Amino acid sequence: MLGRKKKQEEAEVARRDAERAEQEAREAEERRPPQPKGQPTPRRKDQVAARRRPLVPNDRKVARQTQRERTRQLREKQRIAMETGDERYLPVRDRGPQRRFVRDWIDARTGVGEWMLIVVLLFLFVSLAVPEQLRIVMSQFLWLLVLVVLVECWWVARSVRRKIEERFGEKEKGIRFYAIMRALQIRRLRLPKPLVGRGEFPS
């Protein structure tokens, strides 16, 4: 399944490159100065044949190597974009001014949800070495934490909707869910990485 998906992605990139090359050739043809007088005008059939680029080069081995290198470069640019916030190479789900604003607003606050995963993992390990009664107390505390996190998620979604509408007029689809998912992630593990410090809310 993963191999098929990777081949589909490579084929899609190759198709886009071919279309881009054909477009550049067409633009170059349009910018070319007119044919000098005294020379026959090339037939349209010949012009089309000269612009045509094969989708798959003759040497498939070289084509695969070239495609792998392009894919590697694209992934490297995406990795750097995840650290720097470069909009050009971010995944589609992270692009746009609204999502950038949401990320900065979530990263500037300190929430309960970002600690939930750590608390759950600690509970799982500690519960193996404590008496039954203490385990029951810890379990009740964990359920209380879950309730607090649910209330916080509702508050985050409501606040994000209000702030986005005040700043941008109309919110994008899925922006509240995007904010909730980021608020539930451990700060150090968030991608794209936080670009603001605690308390540095976007103005």
Side-chain angles (χ1 to χ4, degrees):
M1 181 66 71
L2 293 177
R4 185 184 305 169
K5 185 176 180 180
K6 182 177 180 181
K7 289 181 181 179
Q8 291 176 351
E9 291 178 354
E10 292 178 354
E12 180 67 18
V13 174
R15 183 184 64 78
R16 281 193 230 135
D17 291 342
E19 291 178 354
R20 191 182 303 112
E22 186 174 352
Q23 179 68 20
E24 292 175 356
R26 191 179 298 111
E27 293 175 356
E29 181 71 23
E30 293 174 356
R31 291 195 299 267
R32 195 173 64 179
Q35 194 76 11
K37 292 183 178 180
Q39 296 185 8
T41 303
R43 293 179 300 175
R44 181 175 181 81
K45 179 180 177 182
D46 297 333
Q47 293 177 353
V48 172
R51 287 199 302 263
R52 186 171 297 158
R53 298 288 187 274
L55 290 177
V56 181
N58 294 330
D59 193 338
R60 293 179 179 270
K61 184 177 180 181
V62 174
R64 283 195 300 267
Q65 292 176 349
T66 303
Q67 187 57 45
R68 286 196 202 100
E69 180 62 21
R70 288 177 179 171
T71 303
R72 186 193 65 79
Q73 292 177 357
L74 179 60
R75 288 175 179 169
E76 180 64 17
K77 290 177 180 179
Q78 288 178 343
R79 184 190 65 80
I80 295 175
M82 284 295 190
E83 297 179 355
T84 62
D86 189 348
E87 290 276 341
R88 294 174 298 172
Y89 301 107
L90 284 177
V92 177
R93 73 172 190 274
D94 297 312
R95 292 179 190 169
Q98 291 193 21
R99 294 176 187 264
R100 174 65 179 269
F101 176 84
V102 167
R103 289 198 301 273
D104 290 346
W105 188 78
I106 293 294
D107 295 337
R109 62 185 296 274
T110 301
V112 180
E114 62 185 284
W115 304 102
M116 183 175 175
L117 180 60
I118 298 175
V119 173
V120 171
L121 292 176
L122 286 175
F123 171 78
L124 292 176
F125 284 109
V126 173
S127 62
L128 299 176
V130 298
E132 181 69 21
Q133 290 187 351
L134 183 56
R135 191 181 305 132
I136 293 174
V137 174
M138 292 173 58
S139 177
Q140 292 174 347
F141 170 77
L142 188 61
W143 281 111
L144 178 61
L145 177 64
V146 170
L147 179 61
V148 171
V149 170
L150 289 175
V151 173
E152 182 186 36
C153 289
W154 170 82
W155 181 83
V156 165
R158 182 173 176 272
S159 300
V160 163
R161 179 182 61 81
R162 187 177 68 252
K163 290 181 178 298
I164 288 293
E165 289 177 351
E166 290 175 355
R167 188 180 181 92
F168 299 98
E170 185 177 353
K171 66 179 180 64
E172 295 178 359
K173 184 178 180 181
I175 198 73
R176 290 183 292 180
F177 182 76
Y178 182 77
I180 290 172
M181 288 296 99
R182 190 166 182 89
L184 292 176
Q185 295 174 359
I186 300 173
R187 181 181 170 86
R188 288 180 176 271
L189 302 181
R190 290 173 182 170
L191 289 175
K193 290 189 175 181
L195 300 178
V196 298
R198 302 275 190 185
E200 297 179 358
F201 291 94
S203 56

